[in-house]
Amino acid sequence: MEWFYDNNGQQAGPVSREEILRLIMQRQIKPETLVWTPEFGSTWRPASAAGLVSPLTGLLRMSSGSSEHWAWVLLVGPWLIQRLTLLILDLRQIPDSGRVGTISVVGMMSLILFFVSFMLDRTSIRESGKTPPGFWWWLFLPGYFWKRRQIVGRGLSLLIVSLVLLTVNMTEKIYQFPQIEKEIQMRHGQMDQPAPSPPSASGQDSQQEDL
């Protein structure tokens, strides 16, 4: 792929990606330096927005394209944390009444990990010179990974795994529904039972007379 760059107001190039990375290492191209490649159409972009230099650190990005590391953390990280927590609770035979606090803390940690990895993955796509999927795709991860694959051009395994996990979660919910419904009915039955009435005063008086 051929690259062009702005050199003190003059267009320089074409150069290879390896050459432009070398220029970045020599500080001849800075994060704000405008660069262009045929994929950009008619728009020149700063090196920080072209996947060459990270806008957060100013460090060289040696790999072409966006990384999938944070995408995998987003997909399986929270799921694994919750599964491992439930497995540990089951092995320790902790009753449901004693799990509420632990599950709440783990749920909050999973939520934080989810959104952090989601934002970092979108940043990675943006640094590669592409526009990431919309923010509200976090509500439906298979849709996010489908859009991500269209934008990045790879990531079929992410899409497949997201669909598999969605199917597993839905299957578990359907399987657990009768048990959940039974527990709700039992609780309603306990609430509907009349409370035991205290002994009457006349009954106490008769017991005293017998004594």
Side-chain angles (χ1 to χ4, degrees):
M1 180 186 300
E2 294 182 339
W3 287 81
F4 297 81
Y5 62 96
D6 177 67
N7 185 16
N8 296 324
Q10 299 294 324
Q11 176 179 311
V15 296
S16 65
R17 181 180 177 84
E18 290 72 18
E19 176 64 15
I20 204 168
L21 292 177
R22 184 185 66 80
L23 293 172
I24 293 173
M25 293 179 66
Q26 294 177 353
R27 301 294 180 180
Q28 297 184 36
I29 293 180
K30 300 177 180 180
E32 64 273 15
T33 301
L34 293 177
V35 297
W36 183 86
T37 188
E39 287 186 355
F40 296 169
S42 60
T43 304
W44 285 64
R45 301 180 184 179
S48 60
L52 298 173
V53 180
S54 172
L56 301 179
T57 63
L59 298 177
L60 183 67
R61 292 177 58 88
M62 297 300 296
S63 60
S64 60
S66 60
S67 171
E68 292 185 353
H69 297 159
W70 288 113
W72 282 108
V73 174
L74 166 67
L75 179 58
V76 302
W79 187 82
L80 282 178
I81 289 176
Q82 294 176 3
R83 292 293 170 143
L84 289 174
T85 300
L86 292 176
L87 179 61
I88 292 173
L89 293 175
D90 289 339
L91 291 176
R92 297 181 64 180
Q93 298 181 350
I94 297 178
D96 293 341
S97 58
R99 300 186 178 193
V100 177
T102 301
I103 292 178
S104 299
V105 173
V106 171
M108 182 61 64
M109 293 173 57
S110 300
L111 189 63
I112 293 173
L113 177 61
F114 178 90
F115 278 106
V116 169
S117 56
F118 179 74
M119 297 306 296
L120 288 174
D121 184 58
R122 296 181 77 244
T123 300
S124 174
I125 296 173
R126 190 176 294 110
E127 289 181 354
S128 69
K130 299 177 175 64
T131 302
F135 175 79
W136 293 107
W137 277 112
W138 70 267
L139 293 169
F140 184 61
L141 277 188
Y144 173 78
F145 289 116
W146 171 68
K147 291 289 294 182
R148 188 186 191 280
R149 182 170 182 265
Q150 287 186 328
I151 295 170
V152 177
R154 56 194 176 93
L156 179 61
S157 56
L158 287 166
L159 176 59
I160 293 174
V161 173
S162 67
L163 290 172
V164 170
L165 292 181
L166 177 64
T167 303
V168 170
N169 291 334
M170 292 182 61
T171 303
E172 287 184 345
K173 295 298 182 183
I174 295 173
Y175 178 78
Q176 294 173 355
F177 182 77
Q179 181 179 357
I180 295 174
E181 187 178 15
K182 183 178 180 180
E183 291 178 357
I184 294 175
Q185 291 177 352
M186 290 178 60
R187 291 179 183 178
H188 285 171
Q190 292 175 356
M191 294 176 61
D192 293 339
Q193 289 181 357
S197 58
S200 61
S202 59
Q204 292 179 354
D205 294 340
S206 62
Q207 290 179 359
Q208 292 177 358
E209 290 177 359
D210 292 339
L211 293 176

